[in-house]
Amino acid sequence: MGQAKKIAMYLLVIFVLYTIITSPVRAADLVQVGFTGISSAAKSVGTFMSSLVK
């Protein structure tokens, strides 16, 4: 089971590197969308926690 997980991780890393090399603009767009989503989620959690304190 551990060997399969390691192989899957290597394949994922190879795929990500291939995507970045062949289409850097698209990869940058995807990273930006991901960080925007994380930022929005963090702001929402902050707003929720602030409302609990009040």
Side-chain angles (χ1 to χ4, degrees):
M1 185 68 174
Q3 193 72 5
K5 187 183 261 188
K6 189 183 292 187
I7 291 171
M9 186 61 75
Y10 284 135
L11 289 174
L12 179 65
V13 168
I14 290 169
F15 176 73
V16 167
L17 290 174
Y18 172 78
T19 303
I20 290 171
I21 291 169
T22 58
S23 180
V25 174
R26 178 73 175 136
D29 289 341
L30 291 175
V31 169
Q32 183 178 9
V33 167
F35 280 128
T36 302
I38 291 170
S39 173
S40 176
K43 286 179 186 175
S44 297
V45 169
T47 302
F48 174 71
M49 291 298 180
S50 294
S51 68
L52 286 180
V53 172
K54 292 180 182 179

Short mmCIF file of all heavy atoms in Angstrom, two decimals:
data_model
loop_
_atom_site.label_atom_id
_atom_site.label_comp_id
_atom_site.label_asym_id
_atom_site.label_seq_id
_atom_site.Cartn_x
_atom_site.Cartn_y
_atom_site.Cartn_z
N MET A 1 0.83 -1.20 0.00
CA MET A 1 0.00 0.00 0.00
C MET A 1 0.87 1.25 0.00
O MET A 1 0.59 2.20 -0.70
CB MET A 1 -0.93 -0.03 1.22
CG MET A 1 -1.91 1.09 1.26
SD MET A 1 -3.12 0.90 -0.06
CE MET A 1 -4.21 2.21 0.32
N GLY A 2 1.91 1.26 0.80
CA GLY A 2 2.80 2.41 0.87
C GLY A 2 3.53 2.65 -0.44
O GLY A 2 3.78 3.78 -0.82
N GLN A 3 3.87 1.56 -1.13
CA GLN A 3 4.56 1.67 -2.42
C GLN A 3 3.63 2.30 -3.46
O GLN A 3 4.07 3.13 -4.25
CB GLN A 3 5.02 0.28 -2.88
CG GLN A 3 5.97 0.30 -4.01
CD GLN A 3 7.36 0.80 -3.61
OE1 GLN A 3 7.64 1.04 -2.44
NE2 GLN A 3 8.21 0.95 -4.58
N ALA A 4 2.37 1.95 -3.44
CA ALA A 4 1.40 2.51 -4.39
C ALA A 4 1.22 4.00 -4.14
O ALA A 4 1.10 4.78 -5.09
CB ALA A 4 0.07 1.78 -4.27
N LYS A 5 1.21 4.38 -2.88
CA LYS A 5 1.06 5.80 -2.54
C LYS A 5 2.27 6.60 -3.03
O LYS A 5 2.13 7.70 -3.55
CB LYS A 5 0.90 5.94 -1.02
CG LYS A 5 0.58 7.34 -0.57
CD LYS A 5 0.52 7.42 0.95
CE LYS A 5 -0.88 7.37 1.42
NZ LYS A 5 -1.00 7.62 2.87
N LYS A 6 3.45 6.03 -2.89
CA LYS A 6 4.68 6.69 -3.33
C LYS A 6 4.68 6.85 -4.86
O LYS A 6 5.03 7.90 -5.38
CB LYS A 6 5.89 5.88 -2.88
CG LYS A 6 7.21 6.60 -3.11
CD LYS A 6 8.41 5.75 -2.73
CE LYS A 6 8.47 5.53 -1.24
NZ LYS A 6 9.72 4.85 -0.82
N ILE A 7 4.26 5.81 -5.56
CA ILE A 7 4.20 5.87 -7.02
C ILE A 7 3.18 6.91 -7.47
O ILE A 7 3.43 7.68 -8.40
CB ILE A 7 3.88 4.48 -7.61
CG1 ILE A 7 5.06 3.54 -7.38
CG2 ILE A 7 3.54 4.56 -9.09
CD1 ILE A 7 4.78 2.10 -7.71
N ALA A 8 2.03 6.95 -6.81
CA ALA A 8 1.00 7.93 -7.16
C ALA A 8 1.51 9.36 -6.93
O ALA A 8 1.24 10.26 -7.74
CB ALA A 8 -0.26 7.68 -6.35
N MET A 9 2.27 9.57 -5.87
CA MET A 9 2.82 10.89 -5.59
C MET A 9 3.82 11.29 -6.66
O MET A 9 3.82 12.43 -7.13
CB MET A 9 3.47 10.91 -4.20
CG MET A 9 3.94 12.28 -3.79
SD MET A 9 2.62 13.50 -3.69
CE MET A 9 1.83 13.00 -2.20
N TYR A 10 4.69 10.36 -7.07
CA TYR A 10 5.65 10.64 -8.14
C TYR A 10 4.93 11.00 -9.44
O TYR A 10 5.32 11.93 -10.15
CB TYR A 10 6.58 9.46 -8.37
CG TYR A 10 7.66 9.32 -7.32
CD1 TYR A 10 7.95 8.08 -6.77
CD2 TYR A 10 8.38 10.41 -6.87
CE1 TYR A 10 8.93 7.94 -5.81
CE2 TYR A 10 9.37 10.28 -5.90
CZ TYR A 10 9.63 9.04 -5.38
OH TYR A 10 10.60 8.91 -4.42
N LEU A 11 3.88 10.25 -9.77
CA LEU A 11 3.12 10.53 -10.98
C LEU A 11 2.45 11.91 -10.91
O LEU A 11 2.41 12.64 -11.91
CB LEU A 11 2.07 9.44 -11.22
CG LEU A 11 2.61 8.09 -11.64
CD1 LEU A 11 1.49 7.07 -11.72
CD2 LEU A 11 3.35 8.18 -12.96
N LEU A 12 1.95 12.27 -9.75
CA LEU A 12 1.33 13.58 -9.58
C LEU A 12 2.35 14.70 -9.77
O LEU A 12 2.08 15.68 -10.46
CB LEU A 12 0.67 13.68 -8.21
CG LEU A 12 0.00 15.02 -7.88
CD1 LEU A 12 -1.18 15.25 -8.82
CD2 LEU A 12 -0.44 15.04 -6.45
N VAL A 13 3.54 14.54 -9.20
CA VAL A 13 4.59 15.54 -9.33
C VAL A 13 5.01 15.66 -10.79
O VAL A 13 5.18 16.76 -11.31
CB VAL A 13 5.79 15.20 -8.43
CG1 VAL A 13 7.00 16.05 -8.76
CG2 VAL A 13 5.41 15.37 -6.97
N ILE A 14 5.17 14.54 -11.48
CA ILE A 14 5.55 14.56 -12.90
C ILE A 14 4.48 15.26 -13.72
O ILE A 14 4.78 16.07 -14.60
CB ILE A 14 5.81 13.13 -13.40
CG1 ILE A 14 7.09 12.60 -12.78
CG2 ILE A 14 5.90 13.09 -14.92
CD1 ILE A 14 7.31 11.12 -13.00
N PHE A 15 3.21 14.98 -13.43
CA PHE A 15 2.12 15.62 -14.16
C PHE A 15 2.11 17.13 -13.94
O PHE A 15 1.93 17.91 -14.88
CB PHE A 15 0.78 15.01 -13.75
CG PHE A 15 -0.40 15.69 -14.38
CD1 PHE A 15 -0.67 15.51 -15.72
CD2 PHE A 15 -1.22 16.54 -13.65
CE1 PHE A 15 -1.75 16.14 -16.32
CE2 PHE A 15 -2.28 17.17 -14.23
CZ PHE A 15 -2.56 16.97 -15.57
N VAL A 16 2.31 17.56 -12.70
CA VAL A 16 2.32 19.00 -12.39
C VAL A 16 3.48 19.68 -13.11
O VAL A 16 3.31 20.74 -13.71
CB VAL A 16 2.38 19.23 -10.86
CG1 VAL A 16 2.71 20.68 -10.54
CG2 VAL A 16 1.08 18.81 -10.21
N LEU A 17 4.66 19.07 -13.06
CA LEU A 17 5.81 19.64 -13.76
C LEU A 17 5.57 19.70 -15.27
O LEU A 17 5.90 20.70 -15.92
CB LEU A 17 7.07 18.85 -13.45
CG LEU A 17 7.60 18.98 -12.03
CD1 LEU A 17 8.77 18.04 -11.82
CD2 LEU A 17 7.99 20.41 -11.73
N TYR A 18 5.00 18.67 -15.83
CA TYR A 18 4.68 18.65 -17.26
C TYR A 18 3.71 19.77 -17.62
O TYR A 18 3.88 20.47 -18.61
CB TYR A 18 4.11 17.29 -17.66
CG TYR A 18 3.58 17.24 -19.07
CD1 TYR A 18 4.46 17.13 -20.13
CD2 TYR A 18 2.22 17.32 -19.33
CE1 TYR A 18 3.99 17.09 -21.44
CE2 TYR A 18 1.74 17.28 -20.63
CZ TYR A 18 2.64 17.17 -21.67
OH TYR A 18 2.16 17.14 -22.96
N THR A 19 2.68 19.96 -16.79
CA THR A 19 1.70 21.01 -17.04
C THR A 19 2.34 22.38 -16.97
O THR A 19 2.07 23.24 -17.81
CB THR A 19 0.56 20.91 -16.01
OG1 THR A 19 -0.02 19.61 -16.09
CG2 THR A 19 -0.51 21.94 -16.28
N ILE A 20 3.21 22.61 -15.99
CA ILE A 20 3.87 23.90 -15.85
C ILE A 20 4.79 24.17 -17.04
O ILE A 20 4.82 25.29 -17.58
CB ILE A 20 4.66 23.96 -14.53
CG1 ILE A 20 3.68 24.00 -13.36
CG2 ILE A 20 5.58 25.17 -14.49
CD1 ILE A 20 4.34 23.85 -12.00
N ILE A 21 5.50 23.16 -17.50
CA ILE A 21 6.44 23.35 -18.61
C ILE A 21 5.70 23.58 -19.92
O ILE A 21 6.07 24.45 -20.71
CB ILE A 21 7.39 22.14 -18.71
CG1 ILE A 21 8.33 22.13 -17.51
CG2 ILE A 21 8.19 22.16 -20.01
CD1 ILE A 21 9.13 20.86 -17.35
N THR A 22 4.64 22.83 -20.17
CA THR A 22 3.95 22.93 -21.46
C THR A 22 2.99 24.11 -21.53
O THR A 22 2.73 24.63 -22.61
CB THR A 22 3.18 21.65 -21.79
OG1 THR A 22 2.24 21.38 -20.75
CG2 THR A 22 4.13 20.48 -21.95
N SER A 23 2.45 24.54 -20.41
CA SER A 23 1.48 25.64 -20.41
C SER A 23 1.65 26.50 -19.16
O SER A 23 0.81 26.45 -18.25
CB SER A 23 0.06 25.08 -20.49
OG SER A 23 -0.88 26.11 -20.49
N PRO A 24 2.69 27.31 -19.11
CA PRO A 24 2.94 28.09 -17.89
C PRO A 24 1.87 29.14 -17.60
O PRO A 24 1.56 29.42 -16.44
CB PRO A 24 4.29 28.74 -18.13
CG PRO A 24 4.54 28.65 -19.58
CD PRO A 24 3.73 27.51 -20.10
N VAL A 25 1.26 29.70 -18.63
CA VAL A 25 0.22 30.72 -18.41
C VAL A 25 -0.99 30.08 -17.75
O VAL A 25 -1.55 30.62 -16.78
CB VAL A 25 -0.15 31.40 -19.75
CG1 VAL A 25 -1.31 32.34 -19.56
CG2 VAL A 25 1.05 32.13 -20.32
N ARG A 26 -1.41 28.95 -18.25
CA ARG A 26 -2.56 28.25 -17.67
C ARG A 26 -2.25 27.80 -16.24
O ARG A 26 -3.10 27.89 -15.35
CB ARG A 26 -2.92 27.04 -18.54
CG ARG A 26 -4.04 26.21 -18.02
CD ARG A 26 -5.37 26.89 -18.18
NE ARG A 26 -6.43 25.97 -17.78
CZ ARG A 26 -7.45 26.33 -17.03
NH1 ARG A 26 -7.60 27.57 -16.65
NH2 ARG A 26 -8.35 25.45 -16.69
N ALA A 27 -1.04 27.32 -16.01
CA ALA A 27 -0.65 26.90 -14.67
C ALA A 27 -0.68 28.08 -13.70
O ALA A 27 -1.15 27.95 -12.57
CB ALA A 27 0.74 26.27 -14.70
N ALA A 28 -0.22 29.24 -14.15
CA ALA A 28 -0.25 30.43 -13.30
C ALA A 28 -1.69 30.84 -12.99
O ALA A 28 -1.99 31.25 -11.86
CB ALA A 28 0.49 31.57 -13.98
N ASP A 29 -2.56 30.72 -13.97
CA ASP A 29 -3.98 31.03 -13.73
C ASP A 29 -4.58 30.11 -12.69
O ASP A 29 -5.34 30.55 -11.82
CB ASP A 29 -4.77 30.93 -15.04
CG ASP A 29 -4.47 32.05 -16.01
OD1 ASP A 29 -3.93 33.09 -15.57
OD2 ASP A 29 -4.76 31.88 -17.21
N LEU A 30 -4.25 28.82 -12.78
CA LEU A 30 -4.79 27.87 -11.81
C LEU A 30 -4.27 28.14 -10.41
O LEU A 30 -5.02 28.03 -9.43
CB LEU A 30 -4.44 26.44 -12.24
CG LEU A 30 -5.15 25.95 -13.51
CD1 LEU A 30 -4.62 24.58 -13.90
CD2 LEU A 30 -6.65 25.90 -13.31
N VAL A 31 -3.01 28.50 -10.29
CA VAL A 31 -2.44 28.83 -8.98
C VAL A 31 -3.12 30.07 -8.41
O VAL A 31 -3.46 30.12 -7.23
CB VAL A 31 -0.91 29.02 -9.08
CG1 VAL A 31 -0.36 29.61 -7.80
CG2 VAL A 31 -0.24 27.70 -9.39
N GLN A 32 -3.36 31.05 -9.26
CA GLN A 32 -4.02 32.28 -8.81
C GLN A 32 -5.44 31.98 -8.33
O GLN A 32 -5.86 32.49 -7.29
CB GLN A 32 -4.05 33.31 -9.93
CG GLN A 32 -4.65 34.63 -9.49
CD GLN A 32 -4.63 35.67 -10.59
OE1 GLN A 32 -4.32 35.37 -11.73
NE2 GLN A 32 -4.97 36.89 -10.25
N VAL A 33 -6.16 31.14 -9.06
CA VAL A 33 -7.52 30.76 -8.64
C VAL A 33 -7.47 30.03 -7.30
O VAL A 33 -8.30 30.28 -6.41
CB VAL A 33 -8.18 29.89 -9.72
CG1 VAL A 33 -9.44 29.23 -9.20
CG2 VAL A 33 -8.50 30.72 -10.95
N GLY A 34 -6.49 29.15 -7.13
CA GLY A 34 -6.35 28.42 -5.87
C GLY A 34 -6.08 29.35 -4.69
O GLY A 34 -6.71 29.24 -3.64
N PHE A 35 -5.16 30.30 -4.88
CA PHE A 35 -4.84 31.22 -3.79
C PHE A 35 -6.02 32.16 -3.51
O PHE A 35 -6.26 32.52 -2.35
CB PHE A 35 -3.59 32.03 -4.10
CG PHE A 35 -2.32 31.27 -3.83
CD1 PHE A 35 -1.34 31.16 -4.81
CD2 PHE A 35 -2.10 30.66 -2.61
CE1 PHE A 35 -0.18 30.46 -4.57
CE2 PHE A 35 -0.94 29.96 -2.36
CZ PHE A 35 0.02 29.86 -3.34
N THR A 36 -6.76 32.53 -4.52
CA THR A 36 -7.95 33.36 -4.31
C THR A 36 -8.98 32.60 -3.48
O THR A 36 -9.59 33.16 -2.57
CB THR A 36 -8.56 33.78 -5.66
OG1 THR A 36 -7.58 34.49 -6.41
CG2 THR A 36 -9.79 34.65 -5.47
N GLY A 37 -9.15 31.32 -3.78
CA GLY A 37 -10.08 30.50 -3.01
C GLY A 37 -9.65 30.35 -1.56
O GLY A 37 -10.47 30.43 -0.64
N ILE A 38 -8.36 30.11 -1.35
CA ILE A 38 -7.84 29.97 0.03
C ILE A 38 -8.01 31.28 0.79
O ILE A 38 -8.41 31.29 1.95
CB ILE A 38 -6.37 29.53 -0.01
CG1 ILE A 38 -6.27 28.10 -0.53
CG2 ILE A 38 -5.73 29.65 1.37
CD1 ILE A 38 -4.87 27.64 -0.82
N SER A 39 -7.73 32.40 0.12
CA SER A 39 -7.87 33.71 0.76
C SER A 39 -9.33 33.97 1.14
O SER A 39 -9.61 34.45 2.23
CB SER A 39 -7.36 34.80 -0.18
OG SER A 39 -7.62 36.07 0.34
N SER A 40 -10.23 33.65 0.24
CA SER A 40 -11.65 33.85 0.51
C SER A 40 -12.11 32.98 1.68
O SER A 40 -12.86 33.43 2.55
CB SER A 40 -12.46 33.51 -0.74
OG SER A 40 -13.83 33.60 -0.49
N ALA A 41 -11.64 31.74 1.72
CA ALA A 41 -12.02 30.85 2.82
C ALA A 41 -11.47 31.37 4.15
O ALA A 41 -12.17 31.34 5.17
CB ALA A 41 -11.49 29.44 2.54
N ALA A 42 -10.24 31.87 4.15
CA ALA A 42 -9.66 32.40 5.39
C ALA A 42 -10.42 33.63 5.87
O ALA A 42 -10.66 33.79 7.07
CB ALA A 42 -8.19 32.75 5.15
N LYS A 43 -10.82 34.49 4.94
CA LYS A 43 -11.61 35.67 5.33
C LYS A 43 -12.95 35.26 5.91
O LYS A 43 -13.43 35.84 6.89
CB LYS A 43 -11.82 36.58 4.12
CG LYS A 43 -10.59 37.34 3.71
CD LYS A 43 -10.85 38.20 2.49
CE LYS A 43 -9.58 38.86 1.99
NZ LYS A 43 -9.80 39.60 0.74
N SER A 44 -13.57 34.24 5.31
CA SER A 44 -14.86 33.77 5.81
C SER A 44 -14.74 33.18 7.21
O SER A 44 -15.59 33.43 8.07
CB SER A 44 -15.44 32.72 4.86
OG SER A 44 -15.69 33.29 3.60
N VAL A 45 -13.68 32.42 7.45
CA VAL A 45 -13.46 31.85 8.78
C VAL A 45 -13.22 32.98 9.78
O VAL A 45 -13.73 32.95 10.90
CB VAL A 45 -12.28 30.85 8.77
CG1 VAL A 45 -11.87 30.47 10.18
CG2 VAL A 45 -12.65 29.61 7.97
N GLY A 46 -12.44 33.99 9.39
CA GLY A 46 -12.19 35.13 10.26
C GLY A 46 -13.46 35.88 10.61
O GLY A 46 -13.69 36.26 11.76
N THR A 47 -14.32 36.08 9.61
CA THR A 47 -15.60 36.75 9.84
C THR A 47 -16.47 35.93 10.78
O THR A 47 -17.11 36.46 11.69
CB THR A 47 -16.33 36.97 8.51
OG1 THR A 47 -15.48 37.74 7.64
CG2 THR A 47 -17.64 37.69 8.70
N PHE A 48 -16.51 34.62 10.59
CA PHE A 48 -17.29 33.73 11.44
C PHE A 48 -16.79 33.77 12.89
O PHE A 48 -17.59 33.90 13.82
CB PHE A 48 -17.24 32.30 10.90
CG PHE A 48 -17.91 31.29 11.77
CD1 PHE A 48 -19.29 31.27 11.89
CD2 PHE A 48 -17.17 30.38 12.49
CE1 PHE A 48 -19.92 30.35 12.71
CE2 PHE A 48 -17.77 29.45 13.31
CZ PHE A 48 -19.16 29.43 13.41
N MET A 49 -15.49 33.70 13.05
CA MET A 49 -14.93 33.72 14.41
C MET A 49 -15.18 35.07 15.08
O MET A 49 -15.48 35.12 16.27
CB MET A 49 -13.42 33.43 14.38
CG MET A 49 -13.09 32.03 13.98
SD MET A 49 -13.75 30.86 15.17
CE MET A 49 -13.23 29.34 14.47
N SER A 50 -15.09 36.15 14.33
CA SER A 50 -15.36 37.48 14.89
C SER A 50 -16.82 37.59 15.32
O SER A 50 -17.12 38.20 16.35
CB SER A 50 -15.06 38.56 13.85
OG SER A 50 -13.69 38.59 13.56
N SER A 51 -17.72 37.00 14.53
CA SER A 51 -19.13 37.07 14.91
C SER A 51 -19.42 36.23 16.15
O SER A 51 -20.34 36.54 16.92
CB SER A 51 -20.02 36.63 13.75
OG SER A 51 -19.87 35.25 13.47
N LEU A 52 -18.66 35.17 16.36
CA LEU A 52 -18.84 34.38 17.57
C LEU A 52 -18.39 35.13 18.81
O LEU A 52 -18.99 34.99 19.88
CB LEU A 52 -18.04 33.06 17.46
CG LEU A 52 -18.60 31.99 16.54
CD1 LEU A 52 -17.67 30.78 16.56
CD2 LEU A 52 -19.98 31.57 16.97
N VAL A 53 -17.35 35.94 18.68
CA VAL A 53 -16.80 36.69 19.81
C VAL A 53 -17.75 37.79 20.23
O VAL A 53 -17.90 38.10 21.41
CB VAL A 53 -15.40 37.25 19.47
CG1 VAL A 53 -14.92 38.18 20.54
CG2 VAL A 53 -14.44 36.09 19.25
N LYS A 54 -18.43 38.41 19.27
CA LYS A 54 -19.32 39.53 19.57
C LYS A 54 -20.56 39.13 20.27
O LYS A 54 -21.14 38.37 20.62
CB LYS A 54 -19.70 40.27 18.29
CG LYS A 54 -18.55 40.97 17.68
CD LYS A 54 -18.96 41.69 16.43
CE LYS A 54 -17.76 42.38 15.79
NZ LYS A 54 -18.11 43.05 14.57
#
